[in-house]
């Protein structure tokens, strides 16, 4: 069976972003970029399914600027067989991306789409669910266990308060949570091999999709700074402060 | 203009976060309708009808909605919601699951985890793990929104007298089925709504040592949380995770024990009223946001704290 793995190029998770002085956004000049961590988990899950013999082909896809090719090459170094870039310099938003992915689903006819539950830049947590709606597919979001058997996929989901297990008909969309797996690192030989794997570039027009943003960002500000307080010398002093100064315990 | 609020509940009782979502709906303005979808959940509709400021309750009581499966709930919300200007849900795992699906069915964008209402079409929301706050404006005819519960003061649970109407658009999409669930049973309060939260990090060293935190929590009536590092290390289950990818909390008192204070963790707790940090590394970033910092070995400090409460 074929798996589609949509990924996103984002600011590396170790970078502490700064808001631009003109409040137009965060400063991305000369900032290290990487594959979104939840997308790495998605690629890893697809690769593991291939290693188990469940999956025969993995297609990594992304919607974004030309430089997103780097992240597609990374996905191929990790085990994706080929990749597709829908190239745009437009600010991508979940609904537009989901429409582009729907067009790729129509083209590729995967049995399973595995993608990250959220990108760590916009923190939206929407794209997988939107794709599932547009493609009329079932969805297993925030997955911590994925088992494919008998034409169905069983997904254990991280929910508030615990875990929920659902069974989905195929084709299905699965979004990954942190505990699904621990992604591997790409080996040097595999990085070299990935350079020769096919990478197809399409324009939004090629797939008939309009990526115009629906939500306009008016301004971006730094959050209210929290002032560091005081150091207490002992547990006794701490309890005293909490009782008599902060009055948060009695 | 009218606002549809999706009620969060477990078929037996309304969840408190719904009162915060209604508060966000009030800030937007207009008539407020609450949709209660579930199975055997008439009592929840009764509770929703009493919420201050709610003018109507719609009850969709059907087996297809019993487990809040996104495929069925999103179809219902898109059908019922098409006559509203705004559709609001809590930014819980339930809301995050169905709301984007409903938005896509309506062919509208969505705004996740708003923390304030600037006007009927303009909202503030955190991006980059809360390291930036974006003010965003929606141009869609229907605005589908999830609300960060901790950012809005709950409205009164009593005082309203809304009518309850049944809606009969039940449909099982037949795409998914419920297999089972494991819900952690605890006498302690829920993390997201607790007045006091005590959390442990990698410094706890193992799951057994969390017992120390449970003892302190029980004395304080507190919930117990954890950093992603403690979850990743397998000390405690993921539903205890506080942070960018876990739960967002804003209690009166947050006690961070053996937590260094990665930005992803701070994103989940820095709106707490009072923050206490106990860590043996005095350079730990958690001290930069703590009102009271104690540089100490947690294995001495926590038992001492326990004995002094």
């Amino acid at each position: 069976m074929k798996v589609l793995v949509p990924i996103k190029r984002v600011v590396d998770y170790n970078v502490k972003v700064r808001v631009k002085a003109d409040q137009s956004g965060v400063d991305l000049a000369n900032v290290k970029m990487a594959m979104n961590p939840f997308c790495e988990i998605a690629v890893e899950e697809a690769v593991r399914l291939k290693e188990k013999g469940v999956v025969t082909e993995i297609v990594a896809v992304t919607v974004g600027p030309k430089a997103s090719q780097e992240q597609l090459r990374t996905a191929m170094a990790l085990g994706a067989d080929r990749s597709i870039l829908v190239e745009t310099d437009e600010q991508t938003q979940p609904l537009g991306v989901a429409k582009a992915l729907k067009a790729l689903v129509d083209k590729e006819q995967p049995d399973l789409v595995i993608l990250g539950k959220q990108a760590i830049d916009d923190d939206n947590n929407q794209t997988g669910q939107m794709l599932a709606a547009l493609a009329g597919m079932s969805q297993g979001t925030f997955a911590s266990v994925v088992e494919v058997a008998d034409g169905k996929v069983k997904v254990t989901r991280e929910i508030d308060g615990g875990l929920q297990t659902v069974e989905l008909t195929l084709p299905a969309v699965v979004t990954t949570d942190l505990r699904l797996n621990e992604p591997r690192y790409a080996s040097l030989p595999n990085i070299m091999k990935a350079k020769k794997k096919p990478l197809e570039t399409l324009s939004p027009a090629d797939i008939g999709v309009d990526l115009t943003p629906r939500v306009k960002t008016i301004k971006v500000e730094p959050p209210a700074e929290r002032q560091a307080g005081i150091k207490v010398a002992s547990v006794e002093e701490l309890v005293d402060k909490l009782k008599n100064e902060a009055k948060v315990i009695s | 203009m009218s606002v549809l609020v999706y009620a969060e509940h477990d078929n037996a009782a309304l969840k408190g976060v719904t009162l915060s979502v209604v508060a966000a709906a009030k800030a937007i303005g207009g008539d407020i309708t609450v949709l209660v979808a579930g199975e055997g959940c008439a009592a929840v509709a009764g509770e929703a009808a009493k919420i201050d400021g709610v003018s109507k309750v719609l009850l969709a009581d059907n087996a297809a909605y019993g487990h809040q499966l996104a495929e069925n709930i999103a179809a219902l919300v898109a059908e019922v919601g098409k006559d509203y200007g705004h559709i609001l849900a809590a930014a819980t795992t339930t809301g995050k699951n169905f709301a984007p699906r409903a938005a896509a069915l309506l062919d509208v964008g969505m705004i996740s985890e708003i923390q304030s209402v600037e006007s009927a079409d303009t909202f503030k929301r955190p991006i980059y793990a809360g390291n930036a706050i974006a003010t965003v404006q929606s141009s869609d005819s229907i605005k589908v929104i999830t609300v960060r519960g901790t950012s809005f003061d709950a409205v009164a649970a009593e005082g309203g007298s809304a009518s309850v109407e049944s809606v009969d658009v039940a449909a099982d999409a037949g795409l998914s089925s419920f297999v089972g669930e494991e819900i952690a049973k605890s006498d302690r309060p829920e993390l997201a709504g607790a007045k006091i939260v005590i959390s442990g990090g990698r410094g706890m060293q193992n799951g057994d040592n969390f017992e120390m935190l449970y003892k302190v929590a029980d004395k304080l009536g507190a919930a117990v949380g954890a950093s992603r590092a403690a979850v990743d290390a397998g000390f405690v289950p993921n539903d205890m995770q506080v942070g960018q990818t876990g739960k967002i909390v804003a209690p009166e008192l947050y006690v961070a024990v053996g937590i260094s204070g990665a930005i992803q963790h701070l994103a989940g707790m820095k709106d707490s009223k009072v923050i206490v940090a106990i860590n043996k590394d005095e350079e730990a970033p958690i001290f930069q946001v703590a009102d009271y910092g104690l540089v100490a070995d947690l294995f001495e400090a926590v038992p001492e704290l326990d004995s002094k409460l």
Side-chain angles (χ1 to χ4, degrees):
Chain A
M1 86 187 215
K2 190 196 274 189
V3 177
L4 199 70
V5 183
I7 62 168
K8 187 177 185 187
R9 174 185 171 89
V10 298
V11 170
D12 185 89
Y13 79 102
N14 284 311
V15 173
K16 189 171 190 311
V17 296
R18 296 200 183 282
V19 170
K20 285 193 221 170
D22 67 1
Q23 299 194 330
S24 63
V26 300
D27 194 353
L28 297 181
N30 304 314
V31 166
K32 187 183 173 204
M33 303 296 280
M35 194 194 302
N36 181 47
F38 289 101
C39 305
E40 291 183 338
I41 295 172
V43 173
E44 176 67 30
E45 194 64 16
V47 173
R48 288 185 189 192
L49 287 170
K50 194 175 175 193
E51 286 168 349
K52 279 188 209 157
V54 176
V55 163
T56 49
E57 188 184 25
I58 302 169
V59 185
V61 301
T62 193
V63 181
K66 194 178 180 74
S68 305
Q69 287 184 0
E70 289 168 29
Q71 280 64 46
L72 291 174
R73 292 285 172 207
T74 303
M76 290 190 288
L78 292 168
D81 298 292
R82 60 187 172 91
S83 54
I84 304 171
L85 166 65
V86 178
E87 191 179 324
T88 176
D89 289 323
E90 190 89 70
Q91 183 211 6
T92 55
Q93 291 189 349
L95 185 64
V97 172
K99 287 181 176 182
L101 295 177
K102 160 70 166 63
L104 296 180
V105 163
D106 289 345
K107 183 170 175 284
E108 295 286 338
Q109 298 286 322
D111 302 287
L112 199 55
V113 180
I114 308 180
L115 70 171
K117 75 165 181 180
Q118 91 191 52
I120 59 165
D121 48 5
D122 292 333
D123 284 334
N124 275 317
N125 193 336
Q126 299 174 7
T127 304
Q129 296 90 314
M130 287 182 162
L131 169 62
L134 298 175
M137 287 157 92
S138 55
Q139 68 184 58
T141 51
F142 328 143
S144 63
V145 182
V146 174
E147 296 164 281
V148 181
D150 306 327
K152 297 206 165 175
V153 56
K154 210 194 257 186
V155 178
T156 301
R157 308 178 52 235
E158 304 270 11
I159 60 167
D160 296 335
L163 298 169
Q164 181 194 57
T165 304
V166 291
E167 190 172 69
L168 311 174
T169 57
L170 294 176
V173 173
V174 170
T175 76
T176 61
D177 215 320
L178 288 174
R179 293 195 303 171
L180 182 56
N181 60 50
E182 244 176 77
R184 68 194 69 188
Y185 293 99
S187 68
L188 189 58
N190 285 343
I191 292 171
M192 299 312 288
K193 263 192 256 171
K195 290 184 180 171
K196 296 207 178 76
K197 290 185 178 176
L199 193 163
E200 182 184 1
T201 300
L202 299 170
S203 71
D206 290 337
I207 53 171
V209 171
D210 175 13
L211 294 174
T212 310
R214 300 290 188 93
V215 178
K216 185 170 137 196
T217 299
I218 295 175
K219 64 177 173 181
V220 175
E221 302 159 283
E225 281 294 321
R226 214 184 156 102
Q227 298 298 318
I230 57 162
K231 290 261 172 56
V232 292
S234 66
V235 171
E236 198 159 1
E237 188 186 349
L238 175 63
V239 172
D240 176 65
K241 293 280 186 198
L242 291 178
K243 278 186 180 163
N244 301 316
E245 190 175 272
K247 296 189 169 63
V248 285
I249 61 173
S250 51
Chain B
M1 196 174 65
S2 49
V3 182
L4 183 69
V5 168
Y6 188 84
E8 182 99 8
H9 63 88
D10 59 3
N11 291 322
L14 192 70
K15 294 261 171 84
V17 68
T18 306
L19 302 175
S20 298
V21 181
V22 171
K26 271 189 163 175
I28 289 167
D31 285 343
I32 299 171
T33 300
V34 174
L35 172 61
V36 177
E39 184 181 11
C41 56
V44 178
E47 273 188 83
K50 292 193 199 120
I51 300 174
D52 181 39
V54 171
S55 54
K56 189 159 79 174
V57 174
L58 298 175
L59 171 61
D61 193 335
N62 189 285
Y65 307 131
H67 296 289
Q68 304 290 323
L69 294 174
E71 295 83 354
N72 299 345
I73 297 291
L76 170 72
V77 170
E79 175 59 29
V80 172
K82 66 183 191 310
D83 301 325
Y84 290 82
H86 296 77
I87 301 172
L88 269 57
T92 55
T93 50
T94 304
K96 289 172 181 175
N97 192 28
F98 81 78
R101 188 173 179 112
L105 292 175
L106 291 163
D107 193 23
V108 297
M110 189 191 137
I111 302 178
S112 295
E113 293 225 46
I114 61 163
Q115 59 181 40
S116 78
V117 174
E118 303 297 302
S119 73
D121 66 0
T122 306
F123 310 90
K124 285 193 179 183
R125 62 177 299 268
I127 55 175
Y128 291 92
N131 286 297
I133 307 297
T135 302
V136 295
Q137 185 175 37
S138 165
S139 58
D140 282 310
S141 56
I142 302 174
K143 288 147 188 71
V144 179
I145 292 166
T146 53
V147 176
R148 178 173 282 194
T150 54
S151 299
F152 292 85
D153 291 331
V155 299
E158 302 280 337
S161 55
S163 60
V164 179
E165 280 175 32
S166 284
V167 284
D168 192 21
V169 285
D172 185 348
L175 293 171
S176 59
S177 57
F178 173 81
V179 176
E181 64 187 4
E182 288 169 48
I183 300 296
K185 295 255 184 302
S186 169
D187 295 333
R188 293 183 201 99
E190 272 190 65
L191 254 183
K195 293 243 176 339
I196 302 178
V197 173
I198 176 161
S199 290
R202 199 193 296 278
M204 297 302 294
Q205 294 182 0
N206 60 49
D208 292 341
N209 289 333
F210 267 74
E211 207 52 49
M212 295 191 303
L213 303 188
Y214 298 139
K215 280 171 73 182
V216 174
D218 289 342
K219 282 196 178 164
L220 292 171
V224 178
S227 69
R228 176 176 164 184
V231 172
D232 278 353
F235 300 170
V236 289
N238 188 59
D239 56 86
M240 287 172 65
Q241 190 197 147
V242 172
Q244 179 186 19
T245 57
K247 296 206 171 63
I248 309 294
V249 301
E252 300 280 304
L253 171 61
Y254 187 89
V255 184
V257 180
I259 291 176
S260 63
I263 53 174
Q264 290 82 2
H265 185 73
L266 301 184
M269 46 63 81
K270 68 184 161 114
D271 292 331
S272 305
K273 193 165 153 238
V274 174
I275 296 174
V276 169
I278 301 174
N279 201 304
K280 67 179 174 192
D281 173 13
E282 64 179 313
E283 301 297 320
I286 190 77
F287 287 120
Q288 290 163 21
V289 299
D291 299 284
Y292 302 108
L294 176 63
V295 180
D297 183 344
L298 72 93
F299 294 101
E300 288 165 20
V302 175
E304 194 184 340
L305 178 63
D306 186 25
S307 71
K308 292 217 156 45
L309 290 171

